[in-house]
Amino acid sequence: MTLTIAARAANPATLNTPLLVVLLPAGTELPAHLKALDKAIGGGIGRTMRRGDFRGGRDESLHLSGGSRGPRRVLLVGYGTASDRPLALRRAATLAARQANRLGVGSLALVAGTVDGREAEQVLVGLQLGCWEYLDLRTPPPENERRAPLADATLIAENAKTLSAAVDAARAIGAGYDVSRRLAQMPGNLCTPDLLADTARDIGKRHSLKVTVLGRREMEREKMGSFLCVAQGTPQDPKLVAMEYRGGPKGQKPIVLVGKGLCFDTGGISIKPAERMEFMKFDMCGAAGVIGAMEAIARLALPVNVVGVFGATTNMPSGTAVKPGDVVTASTGTTIEIINTDAEGRLVLADVLAWVKRFDPAAVVDAATLTGACVIALGNTTTGALGNDDALVAEVVGAAKRASEPAWQLPMFDEYRELIKSDVADIKNTGGRAAGTITAAMFLREFVSYPWVHLDVAGTAYSEGDLTITPKGPTGVPTGTFIEFVRGRAH
Ligand code: BES
Ligand code: MN
Ligand code: ZN
């Protein structure tokens, strides 16, 4: 269910709400704008703060009872000593929405003192992220045990009238994240290449985007031997999908967003160990990010041309699957020796990256759950960023920061090219254990002929455990990075 969000001016002290969320910075002093509220509920907030029970630290929260009128409950959530207030508020709002969702209050109001447009937007995005759940496949509990999910949230601010653009933007971004996370959480038997293509078509219909879908036959005609060798082990029809949003001037070169869409990655003949293999349903998070970002970009009606593209298939071992030692030919004519069939994402992206040249892109940003090596290098909270244009990499890293999806650049020195030389073909599909994220990007670079950034989101797209603000499951990365990158170009 999607959260209804709004902003309005009101007196928090007399507000009739089941839950009032109060976001507070680090400190033990009751802020002036909360004095009336504190008095109305009997002074509990001030006392709690003076005692030091609640200090406004990052991720700190305290649930107080309100009165029988006005706010019935008060939830204090701290955001610490933030250097970036919008992002700190967003994090606190996410935490608040998670708790509200568990409480089953159905609706909340939130105060954070004076907020500007960007802060309001981030708070409202945070609330939507916090109450996201994927319940489609669960039998609901009996009626009397059900708790109301958080359904509506209102930001209380004096300047609410000036915040309507922020509310609209937050709705668009929230809708984008919803699309991505839902797809990412769906199991591989439901989230198939067909379903991804249908989702793209549906978004296209709603927002008048031109959607092009290539299947196996069309890709054979394009001689995409690299993409197709991954798809040859599965009976599912692979899909190469392009969603064209034309919000900018005619003739303006588009930004192209590209995603890896492996609906499941068993590893193929180089099969992965059974333990935690189920997690590999997440291997389409790059594609999910593209699809969700296109939803948001269309809703935001950004004055810029954007093409969202993804390659979708499933990597399976079978009698027809590609084998180690096989040599395939990509659409560019480049021959590739397959060393490990589990390095399939780069094989799919090779033909997709070559294909997007037809759009004459101003810049291409791809996102892929590409290497386990990236998880070792940067962990689960930082995305790897690599590219052939340092200014563009910096621009994308900046966008990632604004989206609260931090990224960090890794080098692409020419020396690494040695590692993907093959004995029999032009290149091979793995470069060994050393610098695995970089050699994967070096492989992709062979198929790129425009300004380009590659985001390795293997560690950041999905969390294997609860991360305070994100439950176990899809985080939404790289959706926000794509959206912020495009917004940055739209100004
Ligand atoms: N989808 C995986 C990347 C991955 C692995 C993400 C583990 C998160 C956790 C990708 O297709 C893959 O299997 N990569 C291999 C490449 C290797 C064979 C060169 C890897 O990282 O092990
Ligand atoms: Mn793989
Ligand atoms: Zn993969």
Side-chain angles (χ1 to χ4, degrees):
M1 198 178 68
T2 49
L3 181 70
T4 304
I5 54 168
R8 69 182 177 93
N11 177 3
T14 55
L15 200 63
N16 179 24
T17 177
L19 177 67
L20 180 68
V21 174
V22 181
L23 305 189
L24 288 163
T28 49
E29 196 77 31
L30 183 71
H33 72 97
L34 297 176
K35 294 249 154 79
L37 166 70
D38 192 33
K39 201 166 162 211
I41 68 161
I45 306 176
R47 270 198 305 280
T48 301
M49 292 184 75
R50 278 192 301 277
R51 280 189 205 125
D53 293 351
F54 177 85
R55 297 161 191 249
R58 184 177 186 255
D59 296 343
E60 197 183 339
S61 70
L62 189 73
H63 180 174
L64 302 170
S65 183
S68 54
R69 276 174 301 140
R72 248 91 70 220
R73 301 172 190 79
V74 175
L75 179 65
L76 309 180
V77 182
Y79 59 90
T81 48
S83 56
D84 189 331
R85 190 165 186 262
L87 294 188
L89 290 175
R90 165 177 167 152
R91 183 177 174 94
T94 306
L95 197 66
R98 274 196 90 185
Q99 298 201 13
N101 213 24
R102 281 194 291 249
L103 267 172
V105 289
S107 125
L108 67 75
L110 181 148
V111 289
T114 309
V115 288
D116 63 19
R118 178 160 154 76
E119 289 166 343
E121 176 192 300
Q122 292 301 314
V123 164
L124 293 168
V125 168
L127 288 171
Q128 294 174 89
L129 291 174
C131 66
W132 178 82
E133 284 180 294
Y134 179 75
L135 298 173
D136 296 13
L137 304 179
R138 269 199 222 288
T139 307
E143 201 82 59
N144 59 347
E145 283 170 31
R146 274 181 222 176
R147 284 175 174 239
L150 185 62
D152 74 272
T154 309
L155 171 63
I156 305 299
E158 304 224 324
N159 55 336
K161 283 214 179 72
T162 67
L163 299 176
S164 70
V167 177
D168 289 344
R171 279 193 196 116
I173 295 165
Y177 271 115
D178 262 0
V179 168
S180 303
R181 289 175 93 185
R182 184 183 142 74
L183 292 171
Q185 187 68 315
M186 282 175 79
N189 59 330
L190 302 180
C191 183
T192 57
D194 271 320
L195 180 108
L196 290 180
D198 286 344
T199 307
R201 282 197 193 96
D202 171 62
I203 291 170
K205 236 183 229 132
R206 280 192 285 110
H207 300 294
S208 329
L209 315 184
K210 180 178 171 196
V211 176
T212 309
V213 180
L214 276 65
R216 203 186 298 268
R217 289 251 313 275
E218 294 77 18
M219 286 191 255
E220 275 163 5
R221 251 178 248 139
E222 299 279 340
K223 301 194 162 34
M224 296 184 172
S226 185
F227 188 150
L228 286 171
C229 83
V230 178
Q232 81 191 42
T234 172
Q236 291 175 336
D237 199 38
K239 302 289 183 196
L240 196 178
V241 179
M243 310 166 72
E244 294 177 57
Y245 168 80
R246 301 278 169 186
K250 231 192 165 124
Q252 182 198 60
K253 291 184 174 196
I255 296 164
V256 177
L257 309 175
V258 172
K260 169 178 172 181
L262 263 289
C263 291
F264 196 80
D265 178 12
T266 64
I269 296 298
S270 314
I271 198 162
K272 290 179 183 292
E275 191 168 342
R276 293 193 304 160
M277 200 207 269
E278 74 281 3
F279 164 55
M280 282 299 141
K281 71 173 183 180
F282 97 121
D283 212 17
M284 35 57 70
C285 280
V290 168
I291 299 169
M294 293 309 289
E295 171 77 42
I297 290 160
R299 283 185 187 236
L300 289 164
L302 296 176
V304 61
N305 296 330
V306 186
V307 187
V309 179
F310 59 90
T313 187
T314 305
N315 187 19
M316 296 293 283
S318 86
T320 60
V322 70
K323 313 177 290 301
D326 287 0
V327 174
V328 300
T329 307
S331 54
T332 53
T334 306
T335 56
I336 304 164
E337 183 189 7
I338 308 298
I339 301 296
N340 189 318
T341 66
D342 198 8
E344 84 299 337
R346 66 198 75 184
L347 295 169
V348 168
L349 287 175
D351 280 325
V352 176
L353 288 170
W355 188 75
V356 302
K357 177 69 174 167
R358 71 186 50 223
F359 295 110
D360 190 18
V364 175
V365 183
D366 83 69
T369 48
L370 206 63
T371 64
C374 195
V375 192
I376 303 302
L378 296 173
N380 291 107
T381 49
T382 305
T383 293
L386 308 95
N388 61 3
D389 178 326
D390 283 341
L392 184 62
V393 174
E395 188 183 344
V396 173
V397 167
K401 184 170 188 217
R402 291 197 300 282
S404 208
E405 298 178 350
W408 199 257
Q409 185 175 11
L410 298 174
M412 290 196 74
F413 301 131
D414 285 331
E415 284 74 8
Y416 293 110
R417 175 67 172 71
E418 296 297 311
L419 300 175
I420 56 167
K421 280 189 176 163
S422 161
D423 298 339
V424 296
D426 296 334
I427 51 175
K428 57 184 179 182
N429 82 328
T430 67
R433 279 171 58 83
T437 304
I438 297 171
T439 52
M442 295 306 282
F443 181 95
L444 298 180
R445 196 180 70 171
E446 296 293 309
F447 303 89
V448 160
S449 49
Y450 36 68
W452 159 75
V453 173
H454 160 62
L455 297 172
D456 194 326
V457 295
T460 49
Y462 198 95
S463 102
E464 288 186 79
D466 201 294
L467 291 179
T468 314
I469 61 160
T470 339
K472 183 175 170 185
T475 58
V477 173
T479 315
T481 304
F482 279 150
I483 298 169
E484 286 305 321
F485 175 67
V486 172
R487 280 176 114 188
R489 289 254 165 158
H491 292 134

